[in-house]
Amino acid sequence: MTEEVGVVTGDLTVATTRLPDGRATVRVQYTGAEEWYTLTGSPADVPPDGPEALHLAVVRAVHQGGEAVVPGS
């Protein structure tokens, strides 16, 4: 589920970027496209395990489908 266009499906790329304030933005795009969309729940707090743990949780949620949002949001 994205803020800009709602649900996106298909072959997606996920990018998680840490912000200076300790949170992270999570964005998705159709693989190979230029436009990025903000995943609902982003920006999110980075867990104690770091941004990599957040990224993996997001990727798992996206793979499961069902209007995935940033876990814990």
Side-chain angles (χ1 to χ4, degrees):
M1 178 66 76
T2 68
E3 295 297 316
E4 297 85 2
V5 296
V7 175
V8 292
T9 61
D11 190 15
L12 301 173
T13 299
V14 177
T16 305
T17 306
R18 189 173 202 146
L19 300 170
D21 67 2
R23 298 182 303 160
T25 59
V26 181
R27 301 184 311 152
V28 296
Q29 74 173 170
Y30 291 105
T31 300
E34 292 184 25
E35 299 85 13
W36 285 92
Y37 305 107
T38 305
L39 195 65
T40 299
S42 177
D45 292 331
V46 174
D49 294 345
E52 297 83 9
L54 176 62
H55 181 78
L56 289 175
V58 168
V59 169
R60 277 189 227 107
V62 169
H63 277 283
Q64 290 176 359
E67 298 181 13
V69 298
V70 175
S73 63

